[in-house]
Amino acid sequence: MSAKRVVTFTVNGDQVEILCEPRQSLLEVLRDDLDLTGTKEGCSNGNCGACTVIMDGRPVVSCLVLAVEAEGAELRTIEGVACGSTLDEVQAAFLEGAALQCGICTPGIIVQTEALLEENPNPTEDDVRFYLAGNLCRCTGYDKIVRAVQAAAEKRQVAASN
Amino acid sequence: MATAENPKYKVIGTRPIRHDGADKVTGRARYGADIQLSGMLYGAMLRSPHAHANIKSIDTSKAEALPGVRAVATSADLPEQGDRVVELGEGAANMRHLTANVLARGKVLYRGHSIAAVAADNIHIAEEAIKLIEVEYELLPPVMDVVGAMAENAPVLNDDIRTESVGSAPPAKDSKPTNVAKHFLFEKGDVAAGFAEADIIVEREFDTAMVHQGYIEPHNATVLWNTDGKLTVWISTQGSFTVRQQTAELLKIPISNVKVIPTEIGGGFGGKISVYLPPVAAVLSKKTGRPVKLVMSRTNVFEATGPTPGSHMKVKLGATKDGKLVAGEAWIAFEAGAYTGSPIGPACMCVFACYDLPHGRVEGFDVCVNKPRTNAYRAPGSTHVAFATETLVNEICEKIDVDPAEFRINNAAKEGVRRVDGPVYARVGMVETVEAIKNSEHYKTALEGKYRGRGIASGFWFNCGLKSAASATVNPDGTVSLLEGSTDIGGSRTGIAMQLAEALGITAEEVIPAVGDTDSVGYCDVTGGSRVTFATGIAAIEAAKDIQRQLVDRAAMIWEVDSSHVSYSDGGVHGPDGKQLSFKEMAAKLHGTGGAVIGRGTSSEATQGGAFGTHCVDVEVDVDLGKVQILRYTAAQDAGTAIHPSYVEGQMQGGAVQGIGWALNEEYWYDEQGEMRNSTYLDYRIPTCYDVPMIDTIIVEVPDPQHPYGVRGVGEVPICPPPAAIANAIYDAVGVRMHDLPMSPPKLLAEILKK
Amino acid sequence: MHAFDYQSPSTVAEAIELMAKHNGSARPLAGGTDLIDQMRVGRLAPDVLIDVKKLDELNVLSADAAGLHVGAAVPCYRIYGDETVNSQYTALADSCHIIGGIQIQSRASIGGNLCNSGPAADSTPSMIALGGVCVIAGPSGSREIAVESFCTGPGKNVLEPGELLVEVRFPARPANSGSHYRRMIPRNEMDIAVVGVGASVTLDDSGQNFVSARIGLGAIAATPLFAEAAGESLAGQPVNDESLEKAAAAAREIASPITDMRGTREYRIHVTGVLVKRVLQAAIVRARGEQIDYCRGH
């Protein structure tokens, strides 16, 4: 076994320091060491998007990031999306639009949507579908997800213009 | 809150926010793999690299010696089962096969078949230890093809299987071991005479590949075998009570020693009913005295859980030239996988279920092959046969020049019609779903453009009743805490809470539903068969009625009148002289009138009347690549009464997209050695959101008289029509009839180029 | 996953020294989207990972008179977000837009795509078409090699132990040139190319005749191929169906694909011809300064 090392990064604004082996993925460390289990594991090879987190402003699949690579990074996970006890527009739109069934893909899709709206505040249906193509959902057929993303974008736009 | 869409009701037909919603959009909801317990060990499993082999020896000594390894288990650690068949809630199982599927006994029957398990301090050590286990195999020829497996000289997988005859099938000719585990035969009328009446007969052969449910959450189980002999199992499952029973039977311990705590579940679609991991984690926990967590990899999920069978089918339909179906005949062989148990029975019952067929004959075979043991997948068996029958129906329509919607309406199954396998329909909504499509904006709008085509198809699922239980406690603030045992995969706890709310005259938000563990709620059968909103809904309504009775008694006590002068309606109790107290007012008085009011309800007798759906799809074919794009999609379905329309639509949309995946790309792709070569999401190719359009829905409501509010289950029907509808659309677009699923680009291009 | 060590050098020299020290048992780590997966499934088991993604030289993304420099670790999203790439090296932008999903594109690099040396790599045919040259640093200095000569077999390439791909350099784009990449996949996204084609064309001032063309092919042989004859067949020819058909036939000629779960041999050969024509047509439209009508993935 290779030596464990100390890795320091911020998660949802909090500085954390963990001790890990190089072979531990960021996903494993978030879930098992930091108990941030909102980030899910669906395939462990980057094909389902359930483990999506935002790393230094970019969405990444945390199953394909080594924890040691996160040294100095700023991370945002599903646990950091709501503002205190208030849901953000995307979360609220998912609930209002019934855009989840089993809910296992939901954290990844919400995080990916946050990244999308940051980059493109007013996405077309095609933009949404392309941006979310790396997030598999097996329950909903995507219809209500796409609508919820667009509803959230609209709400945010209205809020921004007021 | 949305306004009620059903004027008969106050709560039913509205769209409240689901009760578990906040947890699920914030990442707080705990799924199976999220369980963390103090002292917990991590497990990993050794799986067969071969599709068919005898196990000559297993040497675990090197694995046991690895630092950090706490225990190793093989089938030697599970009790012998002998020849026992046990009823497990949704069907019976041969325990010898079930235990051998959990940990192979002497023989591996498919690649990925589990052989041994390790518990270690972390997952990495467990995975390293697995590689140190030495297994000596004697390779046997793999049997991968369903028709080949039926041949006289085919290698036999299980020496304890003899053909079992079902329906009017004749007894097997001999008692030799065979791969053909079951032979079904259903007959109605006189098929020969029926076909003699036909002006047009079409007969085709069809093949469909094995496909997987594809739920995003892998199987998992965490088990603690405590020092008092009691087991606790944390698992995401479609049925905590069947996990309890299967685990107890496999370990040969009393069911009361097993407590199953269902976590949130990340999809199932029929695939999370059978037990794979709990007995293994239990054995490892017993050996170590610590809780053990096992989680499958995605490849394990594909290779070693329970997909739905591949099939070979021959189906023949006859009709008169004025558009009346007169006879049908089907021969259907399903891959059972390693052990018996494919949904061949339901397939035989569904093949002509959409139609009023005077003469029919259906023969079916359950055939073992060296692939994982198949399991339920959303309307098990029905999608396969709908692909066959519904494409034949369109071929007939073309030949006699009748509109396919019109033909379906004229020949539709309806109340009083007897299915080929015997049962007679109660009030059902086949006609109404076809009419809904026929009258839809989609169907009425002409499709324009080159290589574009439109297709429709219908589908059927029985929907079952089975057993459910619920209890409900009135809180002093006028809310109700509802406890039920149906694990919630798609928002069912809200659908059940809404029925309780409707019955009590309170709001959906005033009910606080929870899914209980096996020690805290009454027996509930699995979340499957599209039964939960129906049957657990009835249990909740019964619990509400029980609360009503108790509140009537309390009010009578308060008003000092006889209970017979008090009634419950419109959200409160009403007594003589205009006396009334609302539910909320009554709730506030409970402490002073005898304490808690707890309502109890069960459902066990009710059965469902069956449900139908009809879909319409427009496609565009790239004739140079053989690739199909879905342009527009509309699904109509009889939901009886839609409790929460958003979640009814969601089932229809999700089912349709699963069906689209099955139609176009999904398949188990095996090489000659029996290795699945596409056991990742990348190569298995379930639809992404960039592959499909919006899925329009039309909820048809033909109430089921067997449910107080008319509910029909909606989960399964929507997967049945898509492959046939898409095949029909492809024909309309490019004039090629596809008889082989998936209709993937290489296959479709080959057919286009043949033209 | 097996146990390994992780090093994060701060200079290229240091990285090369580490690579050389471990003599073949070290692997450079850029985005990791292929490497980590391959380690997890046990296909690769390096003793040491050398994280090169923060090295300055591997993060260059700039254009000068000589052309475009793309550092080997520059992630896809930066490439398709770059103005020069988007206006002049469009095939590269097309490729980077469809490698994995958006999350993968946050990490995956064209250097990694090339070093992973998969026959179906989406960026390699584009790099071939655009005349990319690999700049390799090693213990005995630097060397350069054309992209089409880099891969030597599935998962194999010309890198010697201790060598590191630093950047891919592309020549400046001539006037009246255009390029495009597309692939055939059964889904519309998140898929491995069944066939992938990248092409670059240069037209004369009339826009009616080819001056030159380069075509790269993916997933139709053990390595991505440079369809040299197909490209050369277009030089000096008028833009018409006949010349395109001829190029397509020449491309089909060199295809030697396998049958696997992603497609049959016959299908791949047929699709090679179809895509070569489509990609050339799109590159021609771009060379004329017009927008192509292209729906990613369809």
Side-chain angles (χ1 to χ4, degrees):
Chain A
M1 193 196 299
S2 61
K4 288 192 174 187
R5 59 181 71 209
V6 176
V7 180
T8 308
F9 48 77
T10 67
V11 184
N12 304 323
D14 296 334
Q15 180 106 9
V16 298
E17 198 174 75
I18 50 135
L19 191 62
C20 69
E21 286 184 66
R23 63 177 166 182
Q24 287 182 272
S25 68
L26 177 60
L27 173 63
E28 181 185 342
V29 164
L30 287 172
R31 289 176 52 81
D32 292 355
D33 294 53
L34 300 174
D35 201 25
L36 293 169
T37 56
T39 304
K40 303 302 180 189
E41 178 162 22
C43 72
S44 74
N45 54 14
N47 288 307
C48 76
C51 64
T52 301
V53 302
I54 295 175
M55 183 169 175
D56 295 328
R58 290 291 310 176
V60 300
V61 278
S62 58
C63 69
L64 293 184
V65 178
L66 301 175
V68 288
E69 291 182 86
E71 174 63 40
E74 276 183 32
L75 299 170
R76 191 172 176 213
T77 69
I78 184 66
E79 288 87 352
V81 170
C83 181
S85 58
T86 308
L87 297 179
D88 93 331
E89 297 89 345
V90 179
Q91 292 170 314
F94 270 62
L95 290 187
E96 281 156 17
L100 60 148
Q101 285 178 31
C102 81
I104 194 88
C105 71
T106 308
I109 290 185
I110 288 176
V111 169
Q112 183 71 3
T113 301
E114 296 291 342
L116 165 66
L117 298 184
E118 191 75 26
E119 211 176 306
N120 179 358
N122 194 14
T124 64
E125 181 188 337
D126 193 67
D127 292 338
V128 174
R129 289 187 181 277
F130 188 74
Y131 206 91
L132 294 184
N135 292 77
L136 297 178
C137 167
R138 192 59 158 171
C139 296
T140 64
Y142 303 107
D143 182 301
K144 293 187 191 308
I145 291 176
V146 175
R147 289 177 201 279
V149 172
Q150 292 198 277
E154 202 169 306
K155 218 173 186 180
R156 232 175 236 187
Q157 293 277 63
V158 170
S161 65
N162 286 341
Chain B
M1 198 172 82
T3 51
E5 290 170 30
N6 191 329
K8 267 174 76 181
Y9 302 111
K10 289 198 175 72
V11 178
I12 288 168
T14 64
R15 301 172 186 243
I17 285 175
R18 59 194 284 167
H19 297 82
D20 53 333
D23 279 348
K24 285 186 174 156
V25 296
T26 55
R28 278 187 211 293
R30 289 261 165 185
Y31 292 77
D34 301 338
I35 296 300
Q36 300 280 5
L37 301 169
S38 67
M40 189 173 80
L41 300 172
Y42 294 77
M45 296 181 77
L46 175 70
R47 294 175 180 277
S48 172
H50 306 296
H52 197 187
N54 287 321
I55 299 174
K56 309 265 283 184
S57 65
I58 305 175
D59 182 351
T60 60
S61 55
K62 285 181 190 156
E64 280 162 51
L66 186 73
V69 169
R70 304 294 173 155
V72 181
T74 66
S75 61
D77 296 299
L78 288 172
E80 284 281 351
Q81 292 290 341
D83 278 319
R84 289 200 310 144
V85 173
V86 174
E87 181 54 50
L88 293 172
E90 203 197 28
N94 175 318
M95 292 305 297
R96 183 207 295 240
H97 295 164
L98 194 63
T99 193
N101 197 47
V102 167
L103 280 170
R105 296 181 96 85
K107 200 176 183 196
V108 287
L109 293 176
Y110 54 95
R111 183 184 154 97
H113 199 156
S114 53
I115 294 169
V118 169
D121 291 351
N122 66 47
I123 186 67
H124 303 284
I125 297 171
E127 285 172 356
E128 275 177 32
I130 284 303
K131 294 185 194 138
L132 299 175
I133 298 174
E134 289 165 2
V135 182
E136 198 188 335
Y137 299 98
E138 177 195 13
L139 298 191
L140 299 167
V143 184
M144 304 306 292
D145 165 61
V146 66
V147 176
M150 297 174 77
E152 197 70 30
N153 57 352
V156 172
L157 275 69
N158 296 285
D159 60 14
D160 62 344
I161 287 184
R162 308 289 183 279
T163 305
E164 179 192 339
S165 300
V166 187
S168 48
K173 285 199 300 284
D174 56 43
S175 60
K176 278 196 307 195
T178 170
N179 293 322
V180 181
K182 287 193 183 115
H183 178 196
F184 282 77
L185 180 62
F186 298 121
E187 290 172 296
K188 176 189 174 186
D190 180 340
V191 176
F195 280 113
E197 285 172 37
D199 299 308
I200 173 94
I201 295 172
V202 286
E203 180 175 17
R204 303 280 174 227
E205 294 194 25
F206 300 86
D207 289 285
T208 71
M210 176 173 271
V211 295
H212 198 272
Q213 298 84 352
Y215 33 76
I216 308 298
E217 181 203 33
H219 291 252
N220 55 75
T222 305
V223 178
L224 172 64
W225 194 313
N226 216 336
T227 49
D228 57 4
K230 306 273 192 189
L231 264 72
T232 307
V233 181
W234 291 262
I235 186 170
S236 54
T237 173
Q238 290 179 244
S240 36
F241 288 90
T242 189
V243 169
R244 178 177 75 171
Q245 195 187 355
Q246 289 181 64
T247 305
E249 297 283 1
L250 285 162
L251 297 169
K252 287 197 166 171
I253 58 174
I255 57 166
S256 54
N257 278 18
V258 181
K259 170 178 171 174
V260 176
I261 302 179
T263 63
E264 295 298 342
I265 169 173
F269 313 110
K272 286 185 185 153
I273 296 172
S274 197
V275 154
Y276 303 97
L277 302 176
V280 182
V283 167
L284 292 169
S285 178
K286 190 179 188 187
K287 287 185 170 202
T288 57
R290 293 164 64 172
V292 175
K293 175 155 86 174
L294 281 171
V295 181
M296 285 193 190
S297 71
R298 177 56 48 187
T299 292
N300 294 162
V301 172
F302 277 120
E303 289 187 338
T305 61
T308 206
S311 67
H312 182 76
M313 302 176 279
K314 274 180 266 189
V315 182
K316 181 176 169 186
L317 276 180
T320 60
K321 59 179 180 294
D322 55 349
K324 189 74 202 142
L325 269 179
V326 286
E329 194 169 1
W331 184 99
I332 309 163
F334 269 17
E335 297 170 339
Y339 306 100
T340 174
S342 79
I344 184 65
C348 292
M349 299 169 194
C350 290
V351 62
F352 300 128
C354 289
Y355 299 102
D356 178 3
L357 192 69
H359 307 285
R361 181 178 195 278
V362 183
E363 198 171 8
F365 302 89
D366 185 35
V367 185
C368 295
V369 294
N370 290 115
K371 298 183 182 180
R373 184 187 59 141
T374 58
N375 244 300
Y377 178 23
R378 207 167 196 161
S382 189
T383 304
H384 305 70
V385 295
F387 174 57
T389 302
E390 292 296 295
T391 52
L392 288 185
V393 163
N394 268 41
E395 199 173 338
I396 286 179
C397 290
E398 189 204 11
K399 289 189 167 145
I400 58 173
D401 196 21
V402 175
D403 175 74
E406 203 57 48
F407 183 94
R408 283 175 172 81
I409 291 167
N410 291 339
N411 290 285
K414 49 176 94 64
E415 189 169 2
V417 166
R418 190 166 81 76
R419 261 196 342 247
V420 173
D421 56 301
V424 176
Y425 285 112
R427 180 76 173 93
V428 289
M430 169 70 182
V431 169
E432 288 81 354
T433 69
V434 187
E435 280 173 345
I437 285 296
K438 200 179 158 215
N439 298 326
S440 68
E441 191 55 37
H442 184 170
Y443 199 74
K444 287 194 291 195
T445 307
L447 175 64
E448 283 165 13
K450 212 173 172 194
Y451 305 129
R452 291 181 168 192
R454 174 171 294 163
I456 68 165
S458 299
F460 163 79
W461 188 246
F462 316 89
N463 294 348
C464 63
L466 300 178
K467 294 173 285 297
S468 281
S471 65
T473 304
V474 181
N475 296 316
D477 63 356
T479 61
V480 177
S481 298
L482 167 67
L483 194 61
E484 43 102 352
S486 292
T487 52
D488 178 359
I489 313 184
S492 61
R493 84 193 81 185
T494 295
I496 295 160
M498 288 171 73
Q499 296 179 58
L500 180 98
E502 184 74 46
L504 287 176
I506 60 178
T507 66
E509 291 77 7
E510 287 166 333
V511 181
I512 305 147
V515 178
D517 63 56
T518 53
D519 281 355
S520 60
V521 287
Y523 181 86
C524 269
D525 276 310
V526 297
T527 297
S530 297
R531 60 172 292 278
V532 168
T533 307
F534 176 89
T536 312
I538 292 176
I541 295 165
E542 290 300 318
K545 287 185 190 161
D546 192 16
I547 289 174
Q548 289 179 3
R549 283 189 292 272
Q550 295 177 56
L551 293 183
V552 161
D553 287 346
R554 298 287 176 97
M557 197 171 80
I558 293 165
W559 291 326
E560 295 179 338
V561 297
D562 189 86
S563 295
S564 63
H565 299 298
V566 182
S567 65
Y568 191 100
S569 63
D570 296 330
V573 284
H574 303 270
D577 313 323
K579 285 195 181 68
Q580 57 178 8
L581 285 166
S582 69
F583 179 80
K584 201 163 187 162
E585 289 166 329
M586 280 304 297
K589 292 179 188 298
L590 295 188
H591 288 333
T593 58
V597 163
I598 305 167
R600 296 174 303 170
T602 60
S603 174
S604 64
E605 299 300 317
T607 57
Q608 297 195 60
F612 295 85
T614 301
H615 292 193
C616 181
V617 61
D618 295 348
V619 304
E620 181 173 271
V621 179
D622 184 327
V623 292
D624 294 316
L625 300 177
K627 185 169 168 177
V628 175
Q629 296 291 345
I630 308 292
L631 302 175
R632 186 174 182 182
Y633 205 103
T634 304
Q637 189 174 325
D638 176 16
T641 298
I643 300 295
H644 192 309
S646 293
Y647 287 97
V648 173
E649 293 159 5
Q651 288 295 326
M652 293 163 69
Q653 292 162 336
V657 170
Q658 284 187 335
I660 290 171
W662 193 340
L664 294 180
N665 284 310
E666 294 180 34
E667 65 180 314
Y668 272 50
W669 202 94
Y670 281 99
D671 64 17
E672 282 172 7
Q673 286 71 47
E675 179 182 348
M676 183 189 182
R677 298 300 298 274
N678 61 336
S679 59
T680 63
Y681 270 143
L682 182 64
D683 282 322
Y684 180 76
R685 302 192 184 107
I686 72 173
T688 73
C689 69
Y690 200 52
D691 295 315
V692 289
M694 293 296 184
I695 307 293
D696 295 332
T697 55
I698 305 169
I699 300 175
V700 173
E701 294 188 300
V702 179
D704 187 331
Q706 285 135 129
H707 182 281
Y709 300 133
V711 167
R712 289 183 203 269
V714 294
E716 290 169 289
V717 171
I719 199 174
C720 306
I726 292 169
N728 289 335
I730 289 171
Y731 178 76
D732 190 40
V734 294
V736 161
R737 289 223 180 263
M738 297 299 289
H739 301 117
D740 192 352
L741 293 183
M743 298 176 282
S744 54
K747 281 193 230 166
L748 179 52
L749 182 73
E751 291 302 316
I752 291 171
L753 293 179
K754 269 189 217 161
K755 254 188 74 182
Chain C
M1 214 187 293
H2 76 287
F4 57 85
D5 196 9
Y6 169 86
Q7 302 283 346
S8 184
S10 48
T11 64
V12 168
E14 205 185 318
I16 289 166
E17 197 183 308
L18 281 166
M19 295 279 293
K21 191 174 118 192
H22 293 283
N23 193 28
S25 67
R27 278 251 167 191
L29 168 70
T33 53
D34 277 319
L35 180 58
I36 294 172
D37 178 41
Q38 297 195 2
M39 287 166 61
R40 191 170 279 131
V41 299
R43 208 175 298 141
L44 291 174
D47 294 335
V48 187
L49 289 192
I50 297 169
D51 194 343
V52 295
K53 80 169 82 51
K54 286 171 187 163
L55 300 178
D56 290 342
E57 291 86 338
L58 277 77
N59 273 295
V60 167
L61 180 59
S62 66
D64 53 29
L68 176 75
H69 302 262
V70 183
V74 175
C76 289
Y77 83 92
R78 279 185 58 203
I79 296 173
Y80 63 68
D82 182 84
E83 207 177 306
T84 307
V85 175
N86 263 322
S87 58
Q88 297 184 47
Y89 300 86
T90 45
L92 196 57
D94 296 335
S95 291
C96 291
H97 248 301
I98 56 176
I99 291 176
I102 300 290
Q103 295 97 318
I104 297 293
Q105 293 157 19
S106 294
R107 306 272 294 167
S109 60
I110 58 166
N113 206 211
L114 196 50
C115 292
N116 185 55
S117 301
D122 280 311
S123 66
T124 311
S126 292
M127 288 193 266
I128 292 172
L130 294 168
V133 173
C134 306
V135 180
I136 299 164
S140 47
S142 269
R143 63 178 176 128
E144 296 188 355
I145 185 170
V147 170
E148 55 266 30
S149 304
F150 186 84
C151 299
T152 54
K156 295 196 179 87
N157 56 50
V158 299
L159 289 179
E160 299 289 339
E163 284 193 323
L164 180 69
L165 177 66
V166 176
E167 71 169 42
V168 183
R169 205 181 57 223
F170 298 92
R173 299 292 290 159
N176 305 320
S177 65
S179 66
H180 181 48
Y181 174 81
R182 77 171 65 176
R183 62 187 180 185
M184 164 60 210
I185 53 171
R187 290 192 290 187
N188 292 336
E189 247 296 300
M190 296 300 288
D191 225 329
I192 303 282
V194 176
V195 175
V197 176
S200 169
V201 303
T202 303
L203 305 181
D204 65 9
D205 288 342
S206 73
Q208 300 306 316
N209 302 292
F210 290 102
V211 173
S212 63
R214 286 177 65 91
I215 300 168
L217 305 174
I220 47 92
T223 64
L225 292 185
F226 174 34
E228 198 171 3
E232 277 173 4
S233 78
L234 292 169
Q237 297 299 308
V239 174
N240 59 29
D241 283 351
E242 196 186 334
S243 60
L244 295 184
E245 184 51 59
K246 225 165 144 188
R252 275 198 302 265
E253 196 68 26
I254 61 165
S256 57
I258 56 166
T259 291
D260 68 4
M261 66 281 192
R262 295 176 187 138
T264 59
R265 178 184 157 80
E266 299 70 34
Y267 181 75
R268 285 184 155 121
I269 292 173
H270 175 89
V271 169
T272 301
V274 174
L275 288 192
V276 164
K277 276 187 281 183
R278 289 186 186 180
V279 172
L280 283 170
Q281 276 157 351
I284 290 161
V285 170
R286 281 176 169 168
R288 291 170 177 162
E290 295 155 17
Q291 292 292 314
I292 62 167
D293 180 21
Y294 162 56
C295 184
R296 286 179 296 229
H298 287 212

